[in-house]
Amino acid sequence: MIEVDIETTLGEFPLNAKFQSKSAVTALFGPSGAGKSSIINAIAGLIKPARGRIAIAGKTLYDSERGIDLPTHKRGVRAVFQESRLFPHLNVRQNLLYGNWFTGRKPSPSLHEVVKLLGLEHLLARRPRTLSGGERQRVAIGRALLANPLALLLDEPLASLDDARKQEILPYLEKLVAETKIPVLYVSHTKEEIDRLAKTVVRIDAGRVIGIEQR
Amino acid sequence: MFDFTPEEIAAIRLSLWVASIGVAASLPLGLLAAYALARWRFSGKILLDALVHLPLVLPPVVTGYLLLVVMGRRGVVGSFLEQYFGIVFSFRWTGAALAAAVMGFPLLVRAIRLSFEATDRRLEDAARTLGANRMIVFFTVTLPLALPGILAGVVLSFAKALGEFGATITFVSNIPGESRTLPAAIYTYTQVPGGDEGAMRLVVVAIVLSVLALVVSEILARRVSRRFGALG
């Protein structure tokens, strides 16, 4: 269950987003600059809304009325960004386990399962700069999965890739959704990705929710 | 020509020791100052910036004199440190290390600050969304990514510290075996008749050490940038 009800201004630009979803995959769909990434950043705690409430799976991450504002690292939501943001000084295996080594807990799903799920077996010793764009995004998704996510926030994870690469990654995402029970919030401006993955589609335009569909 | 006298060897060793201790001791404070200047917003930031850069623009003799006044045995800080911690700076090698640290500090901070400013903040955000608190982010992402700049700053301030003369001689004088560093020893040779040969020996050593420092920094920087590669 993802509950978002936030109001804020970003520079000149008002953002007013209210939606709820119980689906495994909820899409935020809308044109570039509509405010989708700002919603993701607010959920991740990277920006602070002026007022409102954000809760995921019963955990309140932000509530202006009750004075709750968990810091980013305590929110448990794991983000994958358009630019993979892999750590250049770490190899693939170290990147994958980054969110895990300082918690000391065993990741669930395990490294082995995630590596298999995303087809990363032959990449573990490589440095991010030697990977293709599609490989980088797969590692970024794996890194988020291995950090015991409460929810995954995928912010245009395929937008920087060409069509062939997108087709390469989409099956992995479908498999991920089918095999894990982690709620996913998926931001995209591409209809095909949404159609293949999402059960609930939240349409965003000019900083507002203009419609919610169930599929 | 290169039969060093024991005094010359003492001066060379002292210089290396003093510069190493000075840089090592100022590195934590340098990291903090650089991080504050690169990342934090606070009133008085311009003042901190000016203070950090002061040794770069002041005549070294002025810096040395101020150190003598403040950190000397009768200085405000100096007397306190002696009374409660037993640390004495004036006319000791420790004072030479302090002078070296102060004079190298602007170069140290400038280089580190630049690399903190150049670090991709989005990588730090990514680390935070993976559950790392600010301290862990600093040590696992910010610091490793800034490593080339930190190394450059360390080597630059080390080279500066090796060559420090004015502030050192003003603060801790020129005592053989205690505060007579390489530049002070060269200066001493130039003040006595027939000292040319000794001065030349030490000048060659100074040049070799300085060039070596630069070469080492260049090699380290290249190795680091090759290891990290372009940001991916």
Side-chain angles (χ1 to χ4, degrees), chain A residues 73 77-78 85 89 98 102 129, chain B residues 122 129 131-132 140 226 229:
Chain A
H73 67 274
V77 293
R78 309 303 181 206
R85 304 196 193 180
H89 56 299
Y98 181 86
F102 47 76
R129 73 188 151 92
Chain B
R122 295 173 309 169
T129 66
T140 60
R226 196 168 45 228

Side-chain angles (χ1 to χ4, degrees), chain A residues 24-94:
Chain A
V25 179
T26 307
L28 295 181
F29 179 60
S32 305
K36 306 183 299 290
S37 292
S38 300
I39 296 171
I40 292 288
N41 285 336
I43 296 172
L46 297 173
I47 59 172
K48 185 180 172 179
R51 54 141 241 104
R53 179 167 183 276
I54 299 166
I56 290 180
K59 180 175 172 183
T60 305
L61 307 181
Y62 178 76
D63 190 333
S64 57
E65 271 172 29
R66 288 161 61 200
I68 297 172
D69 181 16
L70 290 185
T72 297
H73 67 274
K74 289 193 177 150
R75 293 201 171 198
V77 293
R78 309 303 181 206
V80 176
F81 304 92
Q82 182 178 334
E83 347 77 54
S84 57
R85 304 196 193 180
L86 299 180
F87 304 121
H89 56 299
L90 304 177
N91 67 23
V92 168
R93 170 194 284 273
Q94 291 162 332

